[in-house]
Amino acid sequence: MKGLRLGLHDEGDDDDPLLSLVNLVDVFLVLAAALLVALAGVPPGLIGGERVTVIRNAGSPSMEVIIRDGQRIERFRGDGGAADASGGTRAGTAWRMPDGSLVYVPE
């Protein structure tokens, strides 16, 4: 049984440099696919320098508004209370920013 060969593997293929190149291309394809999957999970606007507003826990007493404008990030937290007006309903909250501008947050 000394001359019996099992399988289709030819011993001369171990020295083929093209096989290592194919393996290298496979590694780069896996890395490119992983990068695309990672970028697909990033919300739009967080990569560029545009203005993004995020509202966390909307409508609850622990609501928080996060504004990102370029490299500057500002956070605003509610105090948990609601201002009552007789005969009316609350339609949202207005925040005065340090630069004097107003931000309206609808409920």
Side-chain angles (χ1 to χ4, degrees):
M1 292 238 183
K2 199 173 196 183
L4 180 65
R5 293 187 57 169
L6 299 175
L8 298 175
H9 186 331
D10 188 6
E11 292 180 14
D13 287 342
D14 290 338
D15 297 331
D16 190 7
L18 191 59
L19 289 179
S20 61
L21 181 65
V22 169
N23 288 337
L24 191 61
V25 169
D26 289 342
V27 168
F28 284 123
L29 285 175
V30 168
L31 288 176
L35 180 65
L36 287 175
V37 168
L39 286 177
V42 176
L46 291 182
I47 296 175
E50 55 193 62
R51 185 179 174 114
V52 177
T53 302
V54 177
I55 301 174
R56 296 175 63 188
N57 303 325
S60 71
S62 64
M63 183 172 81
E64 181 179 12
V65 178
I66 303 169
I67 300 172
R68 179 180 172 266
D69 190 7
Q71 295 295 322
R72 189 178 75 188
I73 298 175
E74 297 181 53
R75 293 175 177 248
F76 302 97
R77 293 188 178 111
D79 59 359
D84 291 334
S86 62
T89 59
R90 185 171 163 182
T93 305
W95 297 84
R96 183 172 302 277
M97 308 306 279
D99 62 354
S101 62
L102 289 176
V103 175
Y104 172 70
V105 180
E107 290 191 23

